[in-house]
């Protein structure tokens, strides 16, 4: 269903022009590539601007639902920090959205709209996903890909969770982080995985450790959202560095994550 080879090709294309930061060349190249890929699938790409700068933009495409105005969204942020080409953070997530769109485009007409969102501004405080909230219905829910491509021999967990959670020894799982409202998304997604999963609803004393990506504006608005992550710097030594490159990723692992997302979205959109 999902091609690891295609995922790698996307990541290589997205990282080929360097960091995707503000006015650097990688920004225009990434936006053009993503638009071209979605358009080639027959999807109409909408530009959501949330500021006047080139990089202050989201790209949105959708498969329109037949009976409902509400949507199921699959999201990732396309931007990086200034020094990194961002293969895992977050070309892996963008590649996952593009590959999921390719597969879902040929599905039967869904009852609910399926929307693909590529957000800017995650690295500067979720600016793009926060602005996006004004364009969607109250019942719209999302799955957020935030780094889905790295595996490692060793895994850390936040210090705040050391007495709450037994630390997995290997970084070979995908973490599924939900608030209580979003637990059903977590349960559905985990059911479709064929790799180890770490489903986690954070206790109140440790919620801040997960408030780091584009699920946050959904939670703040009272919407359901699931964070899907390889745990970033708790696993990936290349995080926010110049060596976060395409050859450091596990594309079979990422393909399994995207497959589970496709199956979950298909189920939710019926």
């Amino acid at each position: 269903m999902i091609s690891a080879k295609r995922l790698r090709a996307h990541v290589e294309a997205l990282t080929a022009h360097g960091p995707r930061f503000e006015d650097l060349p990688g920004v225009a190249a990434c936006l053009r590539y993503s638009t071209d890929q979605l358009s080639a699938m027959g999807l109409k790409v909408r530009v959501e601007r949330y500021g006047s700068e080139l990089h202050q933009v989201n790209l949105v495409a959708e498969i329109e639902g037949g009976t409902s105005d509400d949507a199921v969204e699959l999201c990732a942020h396309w931007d990086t920090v200034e020094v990194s080409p961002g293969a895992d953070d977050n070309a892996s997530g963008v590649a996952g959205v593009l590959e999921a769109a390719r597969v879902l485009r040929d599905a039967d007409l869904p009852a609910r709209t399926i929307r693909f969102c590529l957000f800017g501004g995650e690295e500067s405080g979720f600016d793009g996903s926060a602005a996006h909230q004004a364009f969607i219905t109250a019942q719209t829910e999302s799955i957020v890909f935030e780094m889905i491509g790295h595996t490692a021999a060793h895994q850390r967990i936040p210090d705040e969770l050391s007495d709450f959670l037994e630390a997995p020894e290997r970084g070979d799982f995908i973490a599924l982080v939900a608030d209580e409202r979003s637990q059903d998304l977590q349960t559905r997604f985990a059911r479709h995985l064929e790799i180890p999963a770490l489903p986690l609803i954070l206790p109140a004393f440790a919620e801040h450790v997960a408030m780091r990506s584009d699920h946050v504006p959904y939670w703040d608005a009272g919407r359901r959202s699931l964070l899907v992550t390889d745990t970033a710097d708790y696993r990936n030594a290349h995080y926010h560095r110049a060596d976060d490159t395409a050859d450091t990723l596990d594309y079979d692992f990422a393909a399994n994550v995207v497959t589970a997302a496709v199956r979950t979205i298909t189920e939710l959109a019926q």
Side-chain angles (χ1 to χ4, degrees), residues 104-156:
L104 287 165
R105 185 67 187 89
D106 295 327
D108 293 336
L109 177 69
R112 299 172 69 189
T113 292
I114 299 173
R115 188 174 296 130
F116 308 101
C117 303
L118 302 179
F119 294 132
E122 191 267 359
E123 299 290 359
S124 58
F126 332 129
D127 295 338
S129 54
H132 178 68
Q133 303 304 305
F135 297 95
I136 60 179
T137 66
Q139 298 304 314
T140 291
E141 54 194 347
S142 66
I143 295 170
V144 175
F145 282 164
E146 168 59 13
M147 305 181 62
I148 61 167
H150 191 75
T151 56
H154 302 287
Q155 176 72 45
R156 297 186 301 113

Side-chain angles (χ1 to χ4, degrees), residues 150-158 167-173 175 198 230-236:
H150 191 75
T151 56
H154 302 287
Q155 176 72 45
R156 297 186 301 113
I157 63 170
E169 295 183 359
R170 294 186 56 83
D172 61 356
F173 62 88
L198 180 65
D230 63 20
T231 76
D233 49 325
Y234 293 103
R235 174 184 307 176
N236 192 339

Side-chain angles (χ1 to χ4, degrees), residues 38 43 59-63 74 97 100-101 104 114-118:
L38 291 167
L43 297 172
L59 300 179
V60 180
E62 63 185 37
I63 302 168
L74 182 62
V97 171
L104 287 165
I114 299 173
R115 188 174 296 130
F116 308 101
C117 303
L118 302 179

Side-chain angles (χ1 to χ4, degrees), residues 12 36 48 54 79 87 89 92 120 138 192 202 207 209 230 248:
E12 289 176 345
D36 288 349
E48 283 182 0
L54 170 66
D79 62 317
D89 188 18
S92 66
H192 293 299
L202 290 171
E207 283 181 351
V209 304
D230 63 20
T248 65

Side-chain angles (χ1 to χ4, degrees), residues 10-30:
H10 287 317
V11 171
E12 289 176 345
L14 291 162
T15 58
H17 299 276
R20 301 177 295 282
F21 178 83
E22 294 190 357
D23 60 352
L24 293 181
V27 171
C30 165

